[in-house]
Amino acid sequence: MKKAGGTQETGEAAHCETCSVRKLALFQPLSPKEVVAAQTFRRAFRELKAGGSIFRQGSANKEIYTLHHGWAYLYQNLADGGRQILRFLLSGDFFGFQADVGSGERLHSARAITPVGLCVFSRSDLLEMFKEHLELGIRLTWMTAYEEVVAYEHIVSLGRRSAEERIAYLLLELYNRVRIRERNPQDIHTVEIPLTQELIADACGLTQVHVNRTIKSLERKNILTFQSRKLHVPDPERLAGIANHSHDFLITKPIL
Amino acid sequence: MKKAGGTQETGEAAHCETCSVRKLALFQPLSPKEVVAAQTFRRAFRELKAGGSIFRQGSANKEIYTLHHGWAYLYQNLADGGRQILRFLLSGDFFGFQADVGSGERLHSARAITPVGLCVFSRSDLLEMFKEHLELGIRLTWMTAYEEVVAYEHIVSLGRRSAEERIAYLLLELYNRVRIRERNPQDIHTVEIPLTQELIADACGLTQVHVNRTIKSLERKNILTFQSRKLHVPDPERLAGIANHSHDFLITKPIL
DNA sequence: CGCGCCGTTGAGCCCGTTCAAAAAGTGTGG
DNA sequence: CCACACTTTTTGAACGGGCTCAACGGCGCG
C-alpha cells in the first residue's frame, strides 16, 4: 500500500555543522559545541513528496521539526469543511512545537507543498536540552516568541485589511522571506513562490476566485506579476505602499 | 499635567507567595523556592486607571508583565487608522514578552479596559532567570507557545468564520476564561465581561454596528444575553454549536 | 491525446459596511 | 437630586466588496 504523499525516513543528510540552512534556523547563533549538541538531539531526517502530510490535527504532539528544504504549511480545518492556513513554512523554519493543552493532541495539521526534507526532534528531549544546553532553550523561546509576532501580523491582515491589502502584504512578506534565503540572486525582482491561488486564498481568508481577480488587478496596475509560480515585483516599495502596514516588520526586514 | 489614564507606581502588593492569581499565571507549577525567585525578579507593581496606556507601539521593548487584576488588551494600529485587537488580557495573564525583531521597538500597544494592577519584570533579567531558575525559563517558553496557539485560533476566526460564529466563539472563550477564575460562582451561567461592542468589533474584525445587530440576533434566538456588561449563557453547549469550531480548546477547556 | 488541476471570466446575490440619527446609559459637578 | 456632557447602544436605509455558482480555457503530465 502506497502512502499518500509518501514518507521516507533516512539517516542521511548533511550534518548540522555544515548545514546550509542552519544560519536561518533554530540553531543560528550557537557555538560549535551547541551545534554538535543539536545534532545529537536530531532523531531523524525525513523526506516527503509534494502534497504529503507531515502531521494531522488530533495526532500525538510528540515531534518538533525544522524544515530543511522545500515549502510546507500549517493549517486548521473547521467544522463546516473550511480550511485556514496559519503559516507558510520555508527552509530553515522551525515548527510543530505546540503548547500542551491538556489532551496531548495536535490542534493543527501540516502538509508539504513541494517535496520537503525535515529534521525531526523529539518533544520529550526538550527538558534535557534545556538543562544541558541553556542556549538552545533560550533560542527555542525566542523562536516561539517570534512566531507569535508573525501570527499577530496575520491577525491584523485578516481582521482589518482589504483583499488587495492582504494579498499585497502576503506576497511582499514571501518575497522578502525568499530573498533573504538566496545567496546570489540573478534577478533581485523575481522570486519563485510555489503557491496556487487556492493556497493564497486559504491563508488570506478569501476565495480562490477573488484572489485571482485581485492579483489580476494588481497586474493591471503594474505592481507585480505572478505567473507560473514566479512572483515579479518591479518596485517593492510601491507594493508596500498598498499593504496598509503600520511597521516594517516582515515587509522590509523579515528575520526568517 | 495629568497623564491620561494615570500611572501609579507602588511597591505595595501581595507577595507572590500569597498571590491569589499566581496559580493562573507564569508561576503556576513552581516550587516555593522558585516563587521566591520570581518575587525577586519583580521590579515594580503598577496601577493604572481604566483606559490607561500600558505601552505603545514604537516604545522600547524592555518590560514584561503579569496582569494582577482587571482587564486589558493588546492591539495594533494600522496606517489607515484602523485598529485590531490581538488579545484580551485577564487577571493572571502574562504579556509584553515580544521577540526582538531588530529595532528593539514594540510592534503592538496595550491598554487597560478597567482599572488594572501590573506586576512588572525586566526583560534584561530574563537571561539570568533562565540560568538560575530553569523551571521559570521552561514555564516562560510554555506560556509563549500557549499564546501562539491562542493566536492561531484567532486567525481561524477572522479568516473563516462568519460574524455570528466569531462573536459566539469570542464570547464563549471569554465566558470560560472568566469562569475558571471564579472561586465560588453564584450563577454559573452569568459572567461579567467589561467590554463595549466596539472592543468586540475591533477584536472580531467587524464594525460596532454589525456586532450590535449580531448580538441582538443571538438574543432573539435565546442563545445569550449581553447587557450592562453581564453575559448570560443559558446553554453553553448550544452556543458552542454555532461557533464552527474544530476542537474544544478554549471553548470548553481553556487553561488560562 | 486525454485527463486533471489550475487559472480566468461573467452574472447575480448577500453579508457586512457606511452614514446618519436617536435613544439609553453613565459619570460629574453644582 | 438634577442638569449636563459624553459614551455606548440601537435602529434604519442604501451601498458595495467579496462570495457563489457556473462555464471555459490552458497547461502539464501520463
Side-chain angles (χ1 to χ4, degrees), chain A residues 57 76-77 80 83 127 131 134 138 141 147-148 160 202 206 244 246, chain B residues 57 76-77 80 83 127 131 134 138 141 147-148 160 202 206 244 246:
Chain A
Q57 190 170 340
Q76 185 175 134
N77 289 119
D80 69 357
R83 176 176 75 157
L127 187 61
K131 278 187 185 145
L134 191 65
I138 290 172
T141 307
E147 287 170 20
E148 188 185 15
R160 285 291 174 233
D202 283 344
L206 300 166
N244 190 13
S246 60
Chain B
Q57 191 170 339
Q76 184 176 135
N77 288 317
D80 70 356
R83 177 176 74 159
L127 187 60
K131 280 187 184 144
L134 192 66
I138 290 172
T141 307
E147 286 170 21
E148 188 185 15
R160 285 291 174 233
D202 284 343
L206 300 166
N244 190 14
S246 61

PDB file of all heavy atoms in Angstrom, chain A residues 57 76-77 80 83 127 131 134 138 141 147-148 160 202 206 244 246, chain B residues 57 76-77 80 83 127 131 134 138 141 147-148 160 202 206 244 246:
ATOM      1  N   GLN A  57      -4.055  17.211  12.677  1.00  0.00           N
ATOM      2  CA  GLN A  57      -4.850  17.594  13.835  1.00  0.00           C
ATOM      3  C   GLN A  57      -5.349  16.334  14.541  1.00  0.00           C
ATOM      4  O   GLN A  57      -5.863  15.434  13.886  1.00  0.00           O
ATOM      5  CB  GLN A  57      -6.029  18.402  13.287  1.00  0.00           C
ATOM      6  CG  GLN A  57      -6.857  19.109  14.290  1.00  0.00           C
ATOM      7  CD  GLN A  57      -7.830  20.059  13.579  1.00  0.00           C
ATOM      8  OE1 GLN A  57      -7.634  20.444  12.431  1.00  0.00           O
ATOM      9  NE2 GLN A  57      -8.883  20.433  14.282  1.00  0.00           N
ATOM     10  N   GLN A  76      -5.548  24.593   9.715  1.00  0.00           N
ATOM     11  CA  GLN A  76      -6.580  24.007  10.563  1.00  0.00           C
ATOM     12  C   GLN A  76      -7.865  23.837   9.767  1.00  0.00           C
ATOM     13  O   GLN A  76      -8.242  24.709   8.997  1.00  0.00           O
ATOM     14  CB  GLN A  76      -6.839  24.915  11.770  1.00  0.00           C
ATOM     15  CG  GLN A  76      -7.821  24.294  12.736  1.00  0.00           C
ATOM     16  CD  GLN A  76      -8.033  25.096  14.010  1.00  0.00           C
ATOM     17  OE1 GLN A  76      -9.142  25.298  14.436  1.00  0.00           O
ATOM     18  NE2 GLN A  76      -6.939  25.552  14.613  1.00  0.00           N
ATOM     19  N   ASN A  77      -8.527  22.737   9.975  1.00  0.00           N
ATOM     20  CA  ASN A  77      -9.826  22.508   9.351  1.00  0.00           C
ATOM     21  C   ASN A  77     -10.938  22.917  10.295  1.00  0.00           C
ATOM     22  O   ASN A  77     -10.800  22.802  11.504  1.00  0.00           O
ATOM     23  CB  ASN A  77      -9.996  21.032   9.002  1.00  0.00           C
ATOM     24  CG  ASN A  77      -9.106  20.622   7.848  1.00  0.00           C
ATOM     25  OD1 ASN A  77      -8.256  19.757   7.985  1.00  0.00           O
ATOM     26  ND2 ASN A  77      -9.276  21.249   6.711  1.00  0.00           N
ATOM     27  N   ASP A  80     -17.255  23.154   9.459  1.00  0.00           N
ATOM     28  CA  ASP A  80     -18.066  23.246   8.246  1.00  0.00           C
ATOM     29  C   ASP A  80     -17.277  22.891   6.982  1.00  0.00           C
ATOM     30  O   ASP A  80     -17.760  23.097   5.870  1.00  0.00           O
ATOM     31  CB  ASP A  80     -18.671  24.646   8.111  1.00  0.00           C
ATOM     32  CG  ASP A  80     -17.599  25.701   7.819  1.00  0.00           C
ATOM     33  OD1 ASP A  80     -16.406  25.359   7.783  1.00  0.00           O
ATOM     34  OD2 ASP A  80     -17.977  26.860   7.627  1.00  0.00           O
ATOM     35  N   ARG A  83     -11.063  25.642   5.518  1.00  0.00           N
ATOM     36  CA  ARG A  83      -9.674  25.451   5.907  1.00  0.00           C
ATOM     37  C   ARG A  83      -9.008  26.800   6.060  1.00  0.00           C
ATOM     38  O   ARG A  83      -9.209  27.703   5.250  1.00  0.00           O
ATOM     39  CB  ARG A  83      -8.954  24.647   4.824  1.00  0.00           C
ATOM     40  CG  ARG A  83      -7.473  24.463   5.075  1.00  0.00           C
ATOM     41  CD  ARG A  83      -6.830  23.589   4.022  1.00  0.00           C
ATOM     42  NE  ARG A  83      -6.661  24.288   2.770  1.00  0.00           N
ATOM     43  CZ  ARG A  83      -5.763  23.944   1.836  1.00  0.00           C
ATOM     44  NH1 ARG A  83      -5.003  22.886   2.010  1.00  0.00           N
ATOM     45  NH2 ARG A  83      -5.660  24.625   0.731  1.00  0.00           N
ATOM     46  N   LEU A 127      13.288  18.871  27.663  1.00  0.00           N
ATOM     47  CA  LEU A 127      13.671  19.184  29.034  1.00  0.00           C
ATOM     48  C   LEU A 127      15.174  18.998  29.221  1.00  0.00           C
ATOM     49  O   LEU A 127      15.865  19.853  29.768  1.00  0.00           O
ATOM     50  CB  LEU A 127      12.892  18.299  30.006  1.00  0.00           C
ATOM     51  CG  LEU A 127      13.081  18.663  31.475  1.00  0.00           C
ATOM     52  CD1 LEU A 127      12.608  20.092  31.731  1.00  0.00           C
ATOM     53  CD2 LEU A 127      12.320  17.693  32.371  1.00  0.00           C
ATOM     54  N   LYS A 131      18.158  21.700  30.059  1.00  0.00           N
ATOM     55  CA  LYS A 131      19.052  21.551  31.197  1.00  0.00           C
ATOM     56  C   LYS A 131      20.504  21.601  30.786  1.00  0.00           C
ATOM     57  O   LYS A 131      21.331  22.225  31.430  1.00  0.00           O
ATOM     58  CB  LYS A 131      18.776  20.214  31.897  1.00  0.00           C
ATOM     59  CG  LYS A 131      17.604  20.281  32.843  1.00  0.00           C
ATOM     60  CD  LYS A 131      17.473  18.995  33.645  1.00  0.00           C
ATOM     61  CE  LYS A 131      16.222  19.018  34.499  1.00  0.00           C
ATOM     62  NZ  LYS A 131      15.598  17.686  34.613  1.00  0.00           N
ATOM     63  N   LEU A 134      21.648  25.492  27.763  1.00  0.00           N
ATOM     64  CA  LEU A 134      20.821  26.640  28.022  1.00  0.00           C
ATOM     65  C   LEU A 134      20.577  27.487  26.772  1.00  0.00           C
ATOM     66  O   LEU A 134      19.479  27.975  26.536  1.00  0.00           O
ATOM     67  CB  LEU A 134      21.490  27.492  29.091  1.00  0.00           C
ATOM     68  CG  LEU A 134      20.609  28.591  29.663  1.00  0.00           C
ATOM     69  CD1 LEU A 134      19.445  27.968  30.400  1.00  0.00           C
ATOM     70  CD2 LEU A 134      21.410  29.496  30.567  1.00  0.00           C
ATOM     71  N   ILE A 138      17.030  28.946  25.279  1.00  0.00           N
ATOM     72  CA  ILE A 138      16.755  30.364  25.056  1.00  0.00           C
ATOM     73  C   ILE A 138      16.365  30.604  23.601  1.00  0.00           C
ATOM     74  O   ILE A 138      15.428  31.328  23.292  1.00  0.00           O
ATOM     75  CB  ILE A 138      17.980  31.218  25.445  1.00  0.00           C
ATOM     76  CG1 ILE A 138      18.156  31.187  26.961  1.00  0.00           C
ATOM     77  CG2 ILE A 138      17.845  32.644  24.932  1.00  0.00           C
ATOM     78  CD1 ILE A 138      19.427  31.831  27.450  1.00  0.00           C
ATOM     79  N   THR A 141      12.818  29.540  22.992  1.00  0.00           N
ATOM     80  CA  THR A 141      11.881  30.547  23.483  1.00  0.00           C
ATOM     81  C   THR A 141      11.800  31.714  22.515  1.00  0.00           C
ATOM     82  O   THR A 141      10.722  32.200  22.184  1.00  0.00           O
ATOM     83  CB  THR A 141      12.343  31.054  24.860  1.00  0.00           C
ATOM     84  OG1 THR A 141      12.537  29.936  25.703  1.00  0.00           O
ATOM     85  CG2 THR A 141      11.310  31.984  25.458  1.00  0.00           C
ATOM     86  N   GLU A 147       7.413  33.589  16.361  1.00  0.00           N
ATOM     87  CA  GLU A 147       6.230  33.057  15.671  1.00  0.00           C
ATOM     88  C   GLU A 147       4.964  33.756  16.133  1.00  0.00           C
ATOM     89  O   GLU A 147       4.044  33.982  15.347  1.00  0.00           O
ATOM     90  CB  GLU A 147       6.092  31.557  15.935  1.00  0.00           C
ATOM     91  CG  GLU A 147       7.124  30.742  15.192  1.00  0.00           C
ATOM     92  CD  GLU A 147       7.138  29.292  15.648  1.00  0.00           C
ATOM     93  OE1 GLU A 147       6.137  28.842  16.240  1.00  0.00           O
ATOM     94  OE2 GLU A 147       8.154  28.627  15.411  1.00  0.00           O
ATOM     95  N   GLU A 148       4.925  34.107  17.400  1.00  0.00           N
ATOM     96  CA  GLU A 148       3.746  34.797  17.917  1.00  0.00           C
ATOM     97  C   GLU A 148       3.595  36.165  17.244  1.00  0.00           C
ATOM     98  O   GLU A 148       2.501  36.559  16.857  1.00  0.00           O
ATOM     99  CB  GLU A 148       3.868  34.949  19.435  1.00  0.00           C
ATOM    100  CG  GLU A 148       2.593  35.487  20.056  1.00  0.00           C
ATOM    101  CD  GLU A 148       2.734  35.755  21.535  1.00  0.00           C
ATOM    102  OE1 GLU A 148       3.859  35.798  22.048  1.00  0.00           O
ATOM    103  OE2 GLU A 148       1.687  35.938  22.186  1.00  0.00           O
ATOM    104  N   ARG A 160      -8.404  43.457   9.549  1.00  0.00           N
ATOM    105  CA  ARG A 160      -8.567  44.862   9.182  1.00  0.00           C
ATOM    106  C   ARG A 160      -8.062  45.254   7.804  1.00  0.00           C
ATOM    107  O   ARG A 160      -8.132  46.420   7.429  1.00  0.00           O
ATOM    108  CB  ARG A 160      -7.857  45.752  10.218  1.00  0.00           C
ATOM    109  CG  ARG A 160      -8.614  45.872  11.534  1.00  0.00           C
ATOM    110  CD  ARG A 160      -9.890  46.669  11.369  1.00  0.00           C
ATOM    111  NE  ARG A 160     -10.712  46.703  12.571  1.00  0.00           N
ATOM    112  CZ  ARG A 160     -12.004  46.360  12.585  1.00  0.00           C
ATOM    113  NH1 ARG A 160     -12.597  45.934  11.501  1.00  0.00           N
ATOM    114  NH2 ARG A 160     -12.706  46.423  13.705  1.00  0.00           N
ATOM    115  N   ASP A 202      -6.690  30.467   1.042  1.00  0.00           N
ATOM    116  CA  ASP A 202      -6.890  29.862   2.356  1.00  0.00           C
ATOM    117  C   ASP A 202      -6.037  30.515   3.438  1.00  0.00           C
ATOM    118  O   ASP A 202      -6.328  30.400   4.620  1.00  0.00           O
ATOM    119  CB  ASP A 202      -6.601  28.357   2.291  1.00  0.00           C
ATOM    120  CG  ASP A 202      -7.756  27.605   1.633  1.00  0.00           C
ATOM    121  OD1 ASP A 202      -8.851  28.173   1.519  1.00  0.00           O
ATOM    122  OD2 ASP A 202      -7.556  26.443   1.229  1.00  0.00           O
ATOM    123  N   LEU A 206      -9.899  34.384   1.925  1.00  0.00           N
ATOM    124  CA  LEU A 206     -10.665  34.802   0.751  1.00  0.00           C
ATOM    125  C   LEU A 206     -11.014  33.569  -0.072  1.00  0.00           C
ATOM    126  O   LEU A 206     -10.607  32.461   0.254  1.00  0.00           O
ATOM    127  CB  LEU A 206      -9.817  35.761  -0.090  1.00  0.00           C
ATOM    128  CG  LEU A 206      -9.351  37.048   0.591  1.00  0.00           C
ATOM    129  CD1 LEU A 206      -8.250  37.722  -0.209  1.00  0.00           C
ATOM    130  CD2 LEU A 206     -10.518  37.998   0.796  1.00  0.00           C
ATOM    131  N   ASN A 244      -1.026  48.663   3.576  1.00  0.00           N
ATOM    132  CA  ASN A 244      -1.643  49.211   4.796  1.00  0.00           C
ATOM    133  C   ASN A 244      -1.006  48.645   6.059  1.00  0.00           C
ATOM    134  O   ASN A 244      -1.672  48.097   6.916  1.00  0.00           O
ATOM    135  CB  ASN A 244      -3.153  48.924   4.777  1.00  0.00           C
ATOM    136  CG  ASN A 244      -3.895  49.667   5.882  1.00  0.00           C
ATOM    137  OD1 ASN A 244      -3.362  50.578   6.517  1.00  0.00           O
ATOM    138  ND2 ASN A 244      -5.126  49.274   6.135  1.00  0.00           N
ATOM    139  N   SER A 246       1.657  49.001   9.509  1.00  0.00           N
ATOM    140  CA  SER A 246       1.923  50.043  10.492  1.00  0.00           C
ATOM    141  C   SER A 246       3.368  50.000  10.979  1.00  0.00           C
ATOM    142  O   SER A 246       3.785  50.841  11.749  1.00  0.00           O
ATOM    143  CB  SER A 246       0.976  49.903  11.664  1.00  0.00           C
ATOM    144  OG  SER A 246       1.143  48.664  12.277  1.00  0.00           O
TER     145      SER A 246
ATOM    146  N   GLN B  57       3.090  50.965  20.772  1.00  0.00           N
ATOM    147  CA  GLN B  57       3.829  50.602  19.584  1.00  0.00           C
ATOM    148  C   GLN B  57       4.964  51.610  19.361  1.00  0.00           C
ATOM    149  O   GLN B  57       4.742  52.810  19.433  1.00  0.00           O
ATOM    150  CB  GLN B  57       2.844  50.664  18.412  1.00  0.00           C
ATOM    151  CG  GLN B  57       3.299  50.089  17.129  1.00  0.00           C
ATOM    152  CD  GLN B  57       2.116  50.010  16.155  1.00  0.00           C
ATOM    153  OE1 GLN B  57       0.961  50.012  16.560  1.00  0.00           O
ATOM    154  NE2 GLN B  57       2.408  49.914  14.876  1.00  0.00           N
ATOM    155  N   GLN B  76      -3.049  46.625  17.743  1.00  0.00           N
ATOM    156  CA  GLN B  76      -2.163  47.275  16.784  1.00  0.00           C
ATOM    157  C   GLN B  76      -2.956  48.267  15.949  1.00  0.00           C
ATOM    158  O   GLN B  76      -4.075  47.989  15.539  1.00  0.00           O
ATOM    159  CB  GLN B  76      -1.530  46.225  15.873  1.00  0.00           C
ATOM    160  CG  GLN B  76      -0.516  46.835  14.924  1.00  0.00           C
ATOM    161  CD  GLN B  76       0.214  45.819  14.066  1.00  0.00           C
ATOM    162  OE1 GLN B  76       0.373  46.017  12.883  1.00  0.00           O
ATOM    163  NE2 GLN B  76       0.655  44.729  14.668  1.00  0.00           N
ATOM    164  N   ASN B  77      -2.347  49.410  15.688  1.00  0.00           N
ATOM    165  CA  ASN B  77      -2.974  50.396  14.811  1.00  0.00           C
ATOM    166  C   ASN B  77      -2.464  50.217  13.395  1.00  0.00           C
ATOM    167  O   ASN B  77      -1.328  49.814  13.181  1.00  0.00           O
ATOM    168  CB  ASN B  77      -2.638  51.807  15.287  1.00  0.00           C
ATOM    169  CG  ASN B  77      -3.367  52.159  16.558  1.00  0.00           C
ATOM    170  OD1 ASN B  77      -4.552  51.872  16.713  1.00  0.00           O
ATOM    171  ND2 ASN B  77      -2.667  52.743  17.500  1.00  0.00           N
ATOM    172  N   ASP B  80      -4.081  53.164   7.988  1.00  0.00           N
ATOM    173  CA  ASP B  80      -5.302  53.876   7.614  1.00  0.00           C
ATOM    174  C   ASP B  80      -6.162  54.265   8.817  1.00  0.00           C
ATOM    175  O   ASP B  80      -7.292  54.706   8.653  1.00  0.00           O
ATOM    176  CB  ASP B  80      -6.115  53.043   6.621  1.00  0.00           C
ATOM    177  CG  ASP B  80      -6.718  51.808   7.272  1.00  0.00           C
ATOM    178  OD1 ASP B  80      -6.451  51.558   8.468  1.00  0.00           O
ATOM    179  OD2 ASP B  80      -7.463  51.092   6.593  1.00  0.00           O
ATOM    180  N   ARG B  83      -7.922  49.734  13.760  1.00  0.00           N
ATOM    181  CA  ARG B  83      -7.333  49.129  14.946  1.00  0.00           C
ATOM    182  C   ARG B  83      -7.724  47.658  15.012  1.00  0.00           C
ATOM    183  O   ARG B  83      -8.870  47.301  14.755  1.00  0.00           O
ATOM    184  CB  ARG B  83      -7.852  49.844  16.189  1.00  0.00           C
ATOM    185  CG  ARG B  83      -7.348  49.249  17.489  1.00  0.00           C
ATOM    186  CD  ARG B  83      -7.800  50.046  18.690  1.00  0.00           C
ATOM    187  NE  ARG B  83      -9.206  49.838  18.983  1.00  0.00           N
ATOM    188  CZ  ARG B  83      -9.768  50.078  20.177  1.00  0.00           C
ATOM    189  NH1 ARG B  83      -9.049  50.586  21.155  1.00  0.00           N
ATOM    190  NH2 ARG B  83     -11.043  49.849  20.372  1.00  0.00           N
ATOM    191  N   LEU B 127      17.702  36.493  31.010  1.00  0.00           N
ATOM    192  CA  LEU B 127      18.828  35.581  30.822  1.00  0.00           C
ATOM    193  C   LEU B 127      19.259  34.989  32.163  1.00  0.00           C
ATOM    194  O   LEU B 127      19.436  33.782  32.301  1.00  0.00           O
ATOM    195  CB  LEU B 127      19.994  36.311  30.157  1.00  0.00           C
ATOM    196  CG  LEU B 127      21.151  35.406  29.754  1.00  0.00           C
ATOM    197  CD1 LEU B 127      20.685  34.355  28.753  1.00  0.00           C
ATOM    198  CD2 LEU B 127      22.288  36.227  29.154  1.00  0.00           C
ATOM    199  N   LYS B 131      19.144  31.147  33.581  1.00  0.00           N
ATOM    200  CA  LYS B 131      20.334  30.469  34.097  1.00  0.00           C
ATOM    201  C   LYS B 131      20.130  29.919  35.492  1.00  0.00           C
ATOM    202  O   LYS B 131      20.525  28.807  35.800  1.00  0.00           O
ATOM    203  CB  LYS B 131      21.529  31.436  34.116  1.00  0.00           C
ATOM    204  CG  LYS B 131      22.177  31.600  32.755  1.00  0.00           C
ATOM    205  CD  LYS B 131      23.452  32.420  32.855  1.00  0.00           C
ATOM    206  CE  LYS B 131      24.043  32.663  31.476  1.00  0.00           C
ATOM    207  NZ  LYS B 131      24.656  33.998  31.363  1.00  0.00           N
ATOM    208  N   LEU B 134      15.841  27.289  36.043  1.00  0.00           N
ATOM    209  CA  LEU B 134      15.444  26.615  34.828  1.00  0.00           C
ATOM    210  C   LEU B 134      13.938  26.476  34.692  1.00  0.00           C
ATOM    211  O   LEU B 134      13.370  26.651  33.615  1.00  0.00           O
ATOM    212  CB  LEU B 134      16.102  25.232  34.789  1.00  0.00           C
ATOM    213  CG  LEU B 134      16.004  24.533  33.455  1.00  0.00           C
ATOM    214  CD1 LEU B 134      16.812  25.316  32.433  1.00  0.00           C
ATOM    215  CD2 LEU B 134      16.498  23.117  33.564  1.00  0.00           C
ATOM    216  N   ILE B 138      11.538  27.401  31.476  1.00  0.00           N
ATOM    217  CA  ILE B 138      10.666  26.441  30.801  1.00  0.00           C
ATOM    218  C   ILE B 138       9.228  26.942  30.814  1.00  0.00           C
ATOM    219  O   ILE B 138       8.515  26.880  29.816  1.00  0.00           O
ATOM    220  CB  ILE B 138      10.774  25.058  31.472  1.00  0.00           C
ATOM    221  CG1 ILE B 138      12.150  24.466  31.175  1.00  0.00           C
ATOM    222  CG2 ILE B 138       9.663  24.127  30.995  1.00  0.00           C
ATOM    223  CD1 ILE B 138      12.455  23.200  31.931  1.00  0.00           C
ATOM    224  N   THR B 141       8.719  29.621  28.235  1.00  0.00           N
ATOM    225  CA  THR B 141       8.595  29.035  26.905  1.00  0.00           C
ATOM    226  C   THR B 141       7.200  28.455  26.712  1.00  0.00           C
ATOM    227  O   THR B 141       6.558  28.658  25.674  1.00  0.00           O
ATOM    228  CB  THR B 141       9.636  27.918  26.719  1.00  0.00           C
ATOM    229  OG1 THR B 141      10.922  28.444  27.028  1.00  0.00           O
ATOM    230  CG2 THR B 141       9.626  27.401  25.290  1.00  0.00           C
ATOM    231  N   GLU B 147       0.375  31.068  23.997  1.00  0.00           N
ATOM    232  CA  GLU B 147      -0.141  32.277  23.354  1.00  0.00           C
ATOM    233  C   GLU B 147      -0.204  32.118  21.846  1.00  0.00           C
ATOM    234  O   GLU B 147      -1.107  32.625  21.186  1.00  0.00           O
ATOM    235  CB  GLU B 147       0.756  33.478  23.689  1.00  0.00           C
ATOM    236  CG  GLU B 147       0.584  33.961  25.105  1.00  0.00           C
ATOM    237  CD  GLU B 147       1.649  34.976  25.495  1.00  0.00           C
ATOM    238  OE1 GLU B 147       2.247  35.594  24.595  1.00  0.00           O
ATOM    239  OE2 GLU B 147       1.871  35.140  26.706  1.00  0.00           O
ATOM    240  N   GLU B 148       0.754  31.397  21.319  1.00  0.00           N
ATOM    241  CA  GLU B 148       0.761  31.188  19.877  1.00  0.00           C
ATOM    242  C   GLU B 148      -0.463  30.368  19.447  1.00  0.00           C
ATOM    243  O   GLU B 148      -1.119  30.667  18.452  1.00  0.00           O
ATOM    244  CB  GLU B 148       2.048  30.470  19.463  1.00  0.00           C
ATOM    245  CG  GLU B 148       2.199  30.387  17.959  1.00  0.00           C
ATOM    246  CD  GLU B 148       3.416  29.570  17.543  1.00  0.00           C
ATOM    247  OE1 GLU B 148       3.973  28.833  18.379  1.00  0.00           O
ATOM    248  OE2 GLU B 148       3.797  29.676  16.368  1.00  0.00           O
ATOM    249  N   ARG B 160     -12.035  32.489   8.584  1.00  0.00           N
ATOM    250  CA  ARG B 160     -13.017  31.534   8.070  1.00  0.00           C
ATOM    251  C   ARG B 160     -14.345  31.491   8.785  1.00  0.00           C
ATOM    252  O   ARG B 160     -15.210  30.684   8.428  1.00  0.00           O
ATOM    253  CB  ARG B 160     -12.414  30.126   8.062  1.00  0.00           C
ATOM    254  CG  ARG B 160     -11.394  29.893   6.949  1.00  0.00           C
ATOM    255  CD  ARG B 160     -12.061  29.883   5.583  1.00  0.00           C
ATOM    256  NE  ARG B 160     -11.099  29.809   4.477  1.00  0.00           N
ATOM    257  CZ  ARG B 160     -11.090  30.669   3.448  1.00  0.00           C
ATOM    258  NH1 ARG B 160     -11.943  31.660   3.389  1.00  0.00           N
ATOM    259  NH2 ARG B 160     -10.197  30.532   2.472  1.00  0.00           N
ATOM    260  N   ASP B 202     -13.529  45.395  17.297  1.00  0.00           N
ATOM    261  CA  ASP B 202     -12.122  45.521  16.932  1.00  0.00           C
ATOM    262  C   ASP B 202     -11.354  44.214  17.117  1.00  0.00           C
ATOM    263  O   ASP B 202     -10.299  44.014  16.529  1.00  0.00           O
ATOM    264  CB  ASP B 202     -11.464  46.648  17.734  1.00  0.00           C
ATOM    265  CG  ASP B 202     -11.850  48.019  17.192  1.00  0.00           C
ATOM    266  OD1 ASP B 202     -12.332  48.089  16.048  1.00  0.00           O
ATOM    267  OD2 ASP B 202     -11.656  49.020  17.900  1.00  0.00           O
ATOM    268  N   LEU B 206     -14.893  43.327  12.810  1.00  0.00           N
ATOM    269  CA  LEU B 206     -16.217  43.735  12.335  1.00  0.00           C
ATOM    270  C   LEU B 206     -16.454  45.193  12.728  1.00  0.00           C
ATOM    271  O   LEU B 206     -15.622  45.801  13.383  1.00  0.00           O
ATOM    272  CB  LEU B 206     -17.293  42.858  12.995  1.00  0.00           C
ATOM    273  CG  LEU B 206     -17.195  41.357  12.735  1.00  0.00           C
ATOM    274  CD1 LEU B 206     -18.073  40.576  13.704  1.00  0.00           C
ATOM    275  CD2 LEU B 206     -17.590  41.049  11.291  1.00  0.00           C
ATOM    276  N   ASN B 244     -18.751  27.028  15.089  1.00  0.00           N
ATOM    277  CA  ASN B 244     -17.997  26.429  13.981  1.00  0.00           C
ATOM    278  C   ASN B 244     -16.550  26.156  14.376  1.00  0.00           C
ATOM    279  O   ASN B 244     -15.621  26.594  13.705  1.00  0.00           O
ATOM    280  CB  ASN B 244     -18.055  27.340  12.746  1.00  0.00           C
ATOM    281  CG  ASN B 244     -17.502  26.679  11.494  1.00  0.00           C
ATOM    282  OD1 ASN B 244     -17.302  25.458  11.449  1.00  0.00           O
ATOM    283  ND2 ASN B 244     -17.230  27.460  10.473  1.00  0.00           N
ATOM    284  N   SER B 246     -13.314  23.466  15.546  1.00  0.00           N
ATOM    285  CA  SER B 246     -12.867  22.148  15.104  1.00  0.00           C
ATOM    286  C   SER B 246     -12.237  21.355  16.236  1.00  0.00           C
ATOM    287  O   SER B 246     -11.880  20.202  16.078  1.00  0.00           O
ATOM    288  CB  SER B 246     -11.874  22.291  13.965  1.00  0.00           C
ATOM    289  OG  SER B 246     -10.758  23.010  14.400  1.00  0.00           O
TER     290      SER B 246
END
